[in-house]
Amino acid sequence: MDPVSQEYVELTDPFWAPRRRALVESTIPHLFEQLEQAGNVENFRLAASGKREGFQGPVYMDSDLYKALEAAALALRLDGSPAWKQQLDALIELVASAQAEDGYINTWFAVNAPDKRYTNLRDAHELYCMGHLIKAALAHREVAGEGSTLMNVARRVVAHLVEEFLTRGRLGYPGHPEVELALIRYYEATGEEPALELAREFLNRRGSHFFAKEHGTPEEEYDGTYWLDRVPIRDLDALEGHAVRALYLMCAATDLARIENDRSMREVLERIWEHTTERRMYVTGGFGSSERNEGFTRDYDLPNRSAYQETCASIAFVFWCERMARLTGEAKYVDALERTLYNAVAAGASLDGTLFFYDNPLEDDGSRRRQPWFRCACCPPNYARLVAQVERYVWVRADEGIALRIPMASRARFPAEGGELRVTIESKYPWSGTVRIAFDGEASNEMDLSIRLPLWADAMSVFVNNEAVLGDGEQALRKRWRAGDEVRIEIPMAPKAVVAHPEVEACRGRFCVRRGPVVYCLEGSGDEGEFASLFASPDAAAADGPPEPSLDDAAPTVFLEGHRWRARRLYSPLNKAEASRLRLIPYAFWGHGAASPMRVWIPATPNPLEGGTN
């Protein structure tokens, strides 16, 4: 199940296409401006000129610039000559000028401690930063060709890492996984076996407690949970520690399992995935319940107001889901990807792409607002690089044809035996469950068109040229597709109440509303105490409201018939609750208007007016 390259898919989607336009017009210029102001760019100037003072920011500053370069390189396929093209080229030349003769590159060490390389693999993020550089270079190679300056930098980086950690036998592995993913991708792009061997080494070494030795921690006192160093990967039962690190590690392990056809590792990954998604995932598809470790705590510990749910963790989970779907061919991973993409990820940025959430709570008192930047600014460029390639989640190529994953409105073309098949998707997904797939061109052979039935859907009706076919499970429609053929999909999209497992203490006696893959939230105005007095019954009549023009022309509002308790004094006799119509919006769109309280989980109570409560 190979994703279809973005050069073959053009989005016209009402949800993502506007974010893609904002990416090119606003987000990438914003990233470049903020990277200059925060000192990321200046750090490269200092390193290139041999300065030994003046470094700004944390040790991992390089990675944010590399992610922005990757997003910009990917976006060049959307617009070949954007206004910021020269700025991108200049930044790439600056990066190249900061590389050491032996291929090593890291501005913190170049400026602050040239003689301390690789002395703190646990915390210094050298390998993490170089991993993001390699990915940026591979993206730039796709538009600039083999002569890409950034790709030349990456080749020297990979050669240096192979020399250092394989040939010379330096011990250790990165405290923050990332370079493993990059080395595997580099291998798949170039065929250079040493890159794959090094990625395998890093993965297999993890769990050997190298960080205890590196920092002089007695073995009996060492707890490597935060760094995913407690046990080897194959001995893990669930994700633990820092959420982004854990999810990136799973991405690399999944890639390696696919390449090496490692069935035992696949079983490990499936076990970890099941446990984590059933006990440690938020309803919005996000991860990380604790600010203390930016990550996992224990099963069913999913608080709402203090939910961390870092945007980067949600993005990392999308990356992992895609890999698991590719490894196994199973649609459940696409369902999870879709949930996270339309909720936890989309909430992480404003619609204009210039304001961001780092953490994403499921309940707020109205004080939280998106910010233009952060001292730890990993999330804004990470969001940008995902949006720059979001069309890869529409189609995949399979042995027998093509498979529709998420029906985003788009135009795609598929080289096929005897010609080229062109496919247009017309839809307002995820707001509407009606999807039309029109074919143009012709293939000389029969091929499958596979269609996923989402797990959130009760049913799915499929019509081929207006003739109904069975709609249960994933459909594989096999025929010789010709110009004029049309497939229509109908999926009911009525709002549904969702409840949590009883062990999730923060959600007991509460429910939330989901419509299709989209989770909704209640966003109020005024006093939080008044807002907190709202409640509703899970079986309250729910109906689509009119489009909400302040958010998106096609985003339906959901209304619930709810109630509100009124207490005029500190303590008041219990009287009948007042009826109150509750207006819910997609969680992805909260926080765009005036500051106001928000909650995903709504207190659930039988209607007291019907019961005559006094």
Side-chain angles (χ1 to χ4, degrees):
M1 292 281 186
D2 296 325
V4 176
S5 171
Q6 69 183 132
E7 66 184 288
Y8 295 109
V9 183
E10 177 188 357
L11 282 185
T12 58
D13 176 72
F15 193 103
W16 291 108
R19 291 173 183 258
R20 291 287 289 272
R21 289 193 295 272
L23 173 76
V24 175
E25 296 170 4
S26 303
T27 306
I28 291 174
H30 175 80
L31 296 181
F32 287 166
E33 177 184 359
Q34 294 294 324
L35 289 164
E36 185 70 65
Q37 292 179 7
N40 304 66
V41 178
E42 181 62 20
N43 289 340
F44 277 90
R45 296 192 187 104
L46 294 173
S49 59
K51 300 295 184 182
R52 291 293 178 265
E53 60 181 8
F55 184 92
Q56 301 176 61
V59 69
Y60 42 75
M61 289 285 276
D62 292 3
S63 64
D64 298 330
L65 187 140
Y66 295 149
K67 281 184 279 188
L69 295 183
E70 181 183 355
L74 291 166
L76 285 178
R77 285 185 170 173
L78 312 177
D79 183 345
S81 56
W84 42 260
K85 174 71 163 57
Q86 289 185 337
Q87 194 173 2
L88 170 63
D89 294 340
L91 287 170
I92 289 173
E93 292 296 331
L94 179 60
V95 169
S97 68
Q99 188 170 30
E101 290 186 8
D102 65 352
Y104 178 90
I105 183 169
N106 184 283
T107 65
W108 191 94
F109 283 90
V111 175
N112 294 320
D115 59 339
K116 298 294 185 181
R117 292 181 183 182
Y118 303 130
T119 56
N120 186 357
L121 290 177
R122 189 190 72 181
D123 304 318
H125 289 72
E126 292 159 280
L127 298 175
Y128 170 79
C129 290
M130 283 189 263
H132 278 300
L133 184 150
I134 294 166
K135 284 187 177 178
L138 291 169
H140 193 253
R141 173 179 181 249
E142 292 297 312
V143 292
E146 291 295 334
S148 160
T149 298
L150 197 59
M151 189 62 191
N152 290 334
V153 173
R155 289 190 185 95
R156 295 177 60 203
V157 165
V158 173
H160 163 77
L161 293 175
V162 168
E163 173 70 16
E164 195 72 26
F165 288 90
L166 286 182
T167 306
R168 295 183 181 177
R170 181 183 287 277
L171 299 177
Y173 36 90
H176 195 312
E178 167 60 23
V179 73
E180 302 92 331
L181 290 74
L183 288 167
I184 294 171
R185 186 177 295 180
Y186 182 90
Y187 159 75
E188 293 194 284
T190 66
E192 296 180 18
E193 289 279 352
L196 180 64
E197 183 181 350
L198 180 55
R200 184 189 304 114
E201 274 294 305
F202 282 151
L203 287 167
N204 289 338
R205 293 176 185 179
R206 186 170 293 276
S208 63
H209 296 185
F210 169 80
F211 300 141
K213 305 177 185 71
E214 182 183 62
H215 289 263
T217 304
E219 182 69 24
E220 63 273 14
E221 298 176 11
Y222 179 67
D223 179 4
T225 301
Y226 178 83
W227 302 280
L228 281 299
D229 193 40
R230 183 178 61 84
V231 295
I233 296 173
R234 293 178 187 272
D235 293 334
L236 279 174
D237 292 316
L239 294 190
E240 58 187 30
H242 187 274
V244 179
R245 298 174 197 235
L247 290 161
Y248 279 173
L249 186 65
M250 294 301 100
C251 287
T254 306
D255 280 339
L256 192 63
R258 172 178 52 81
I259 290 170
E260 299 189 335
N261 194 25
D262 187 338
R263 297 192 65 83
S264 64
M265 178 59 83
R266 171 177 166 172
E267 292 173 0
V268 169
L269 293 165
E270 290 175 330
R271 181 182 73 237
I272 294 172
W273 195 90
E274 288 293 338
H275 185 282
T276 306
T277 56
E278 284 297 321
R279 300 185 183 208
R280 300 188 177 187
M281 181 175 72
Y282 280 97
V283 70
T284 48
F287 291 88
S289 54
S290 170
E291 181 180 5
R292 180 185 56 80
N293 65 344
E294 293 189 312
F296 301 98
T297 53
R298 62 186 186 277
D299 290 352
Y300 302 116
D301 181 31
L302 296 166
N304 293 316
R305 183 163 295 199
S306 63
Y308 204 65
Q309 200 180 218
E310 182 183 339
T311 298
C312 279
S314 300
I315 292 168
F317 183 65
V318 167
F319 294 159
W320 186 29
C321 287
E322 182 193 23
R323 286 167 165 82
M324 288 298 289
R326 189 178 182 188
L327 173 67
T328 68
E330 295 183 27
K332 67 180 180 181
Y333 300 108
V334 184
D335 280 283
L337 184 159
E338 177 183 64
R339 175 197 297 223
T340 303
L341 190 65
Y342 283 105
N343 298 291
V345 170
S350 61
L351 295 176
D352 68 0
T354 63
L355 297 171
F356 306 91
F357 281 139
Y358 189 101
D359 52 321
N360 294 268
L362 275 70
E363 184 174 316
D364 185 61
D365 62 4
S367 61
R368 187 178 300 271
R369 312 303 294 166
R370 292 180 179 85
Q371 302 297 317
W373 205 244
F374 308 95
R375 184 177 184 274
C376 176
C378 51
C379 295
N382 217 3
Y383 169 84
R385 71 186 183 122
L386 183 145
V387 173
Q389 54 186 321
V390 73
E391 69 270 53
R392 68 186 289 121
Y393 307 126
V394 180
W395 293 101
V396 292
R397 290 299 301 256
D399 291 339
E400 300 297 324
I402 56 178
L404 177 62
R405 285 320 192 192
I406 302 179
M408 303 177 192
S410 56
R411 291 183 286 269
R413 52 191 178 89
F414 302 98
E417 186 177 332
E420 181 179 75
L421 197 62
R422 294 180 293 279
V423 184
T424 299
I425 298 176
E426 295 180 0
S427 80
K428 292 184 178 180
Y429 195 86
W431 313 129
S432 170
T434 298
V435 178
R436 288 183 171 83
I437 306 170
F439 290 84
D440 194 7
E442 187 169 341
S444 61
N445 61 312
E446 290 189 344
M447 58 188 295
D448 285 345
L449 167 64
S450 296
I451 299 171
R452 171 181 64 100
L453 171 63
L455 288 176
W456 51 260
D458 292 330
M460 176 173 70
S461 300
V462 181
F463 303 84
V464 178
N465 297 329
N466 288 321
E467 292 187 8
V469 297
L470 292 177
D472 295 331
E474 182 156 345
Q475 292 292 296
L477 309 175
R478 186 170 186 82
K479 72 187 297 288
R480 180 180 174 185
W481 300 99
R482 295 181 170 87
D485 284 340
E486 181 184 274
V487 174
R488 189 175 88 254
I489 305 167
E490 298 285 353
I491 308 175
M493 299 283 275
K496 294 181 179 178
V498 175
V499 295
H501 190 283
E503 291 292 330
V504 182
E505 183 178 359
C507 298
R508 289 176 191 160
R510 296 172 179 246
F511 70 100
C512 69
V513 174
R514 186 185 66 217
R515 185 181 183 277
V518 177
V519 174
Y520 278 68
C521 69
L522 181 63
E523 188 174 33
S525 59
D527 179 72
E528 190 199 3
E530 290 286 306
F531 179 76
S533 69
L534 295 170
F535 64 91
S537 172
D539 60 1
D544 290 354
E548 176 52 63
S550 65
L551 301 176
D552 185 284
D553 288 341
T557 302
V558 168
F559 290 98
L560 290 179
E561 296 304 322
H563 300 86
R564 183 194 304 273
W565 294 117
R566 293 285 189 185
R568 305 300 181 187
R569 304 173 63 183
L570 178 60
Y571 303 107
S572 299
L574 177 61
N575 295 312
K576 289 184 178 180
E578 298 177 2
S580 180
R581 199 168 191 230
L582 309 186
R583 175 180 170 274
L584 280 65
I585 63 169
Y587 175 75
F589 294 131
W590 84 275
H592 280 87
S596 57
M598 177 278 298
R599 64 170 40 154
V600 170
W601 293 92
I602 303 167
T605 306
N607 188 336
L609 297 183
E610 293 180 354
T613 302
N614 287 289

